[in-house]
Amino acid sequence: FHQAEPLRLGMSREELRTRVGLKSTIFAQLLATQDQILEEQNRVRLAGHVVLFTDEQQARITELEARFAAAPYTPPSFAEAAQIVGEPVLYALIDLGHIVQVQPDVIFAASVYRELVDAVLQSIDNDGQIAANTLRDRFGTTRKYAIGLLEYLDNIHITRRVGDARVRGSRQA
């Protein structure tokens, strides 16, 4: 898998289980005995595998980072970012946690995502809730990015939608 997909951090745990044709319990026991196989976030990989970018890929990543820095709250769309670095590299950056994909076409640099989540939660703690327009205005972003982020936070239970506003969800950020 790593030879065929060198930019992928690992294979889906379920995909590997299906490929080897084992029942879940036996597969889990087998994985527990393997020191050379690591399991992280429902993904498995060889312990020694690391994602390495070529010099050309790294130059394109630097170009993308500059685009993110120039407009952190209205960054390039997924499609635009894929045009800059290529889809395999973009997926690698998402897998590595450098970019957070909150909607199919809405992505943020990881540091900006954390800043936005912190601001959402701080606003909820201070005011009891946050609305999309409040988030939009505070960061000078657009409705697309504000709604995309809030819907993502709803989906992962960090926030919960109540009418047009968000309150804290059941999960900690």
Side-chain angles (χ1 to χ4, degrees), residues 48-108:
H49 177 70
V50 293
V51 173
L52 298 174
F53 298 109
T54 65
D55 290 342
E56 180 183 331
Q57 289 167 332
Q58 190 57 58
R60 290 174 184 237
I61 291 168
T62 300
E63 179 184 340
L64 179 61
E65 289 169 343
R67 292 274 308 273
F68 274 98
Y73 309 115
T74 55
S77 67
F78 180 93
E80 292 167 335
Q83 285 182 327
I84 295 169
V85 297
E87 211 167 279
V89 171
L90 183 55
Y91 279 121
L93 293 170
I94 292 168
D95 284 348
L96 292 167
H98 299 291
I99 293 174
V100 179
Q101 185 175 18
V102 299
Q103 296 288 318
D105 207 39
V106 177
I107 56 178
F108 291 101

Side-chain angles (χ1 to χ4, degrees), residues 71-75 116 132-143 145-146:
Y73 309 115
T74 55
L116 290 167
N133 62 343
T134 303
L135 181 65
R136 180 198 65 210
D137 295 346
R138 178 172 174 187
F139 288 94
T141 188
T142 67
R143 182 171 168 76
Y145 292 99

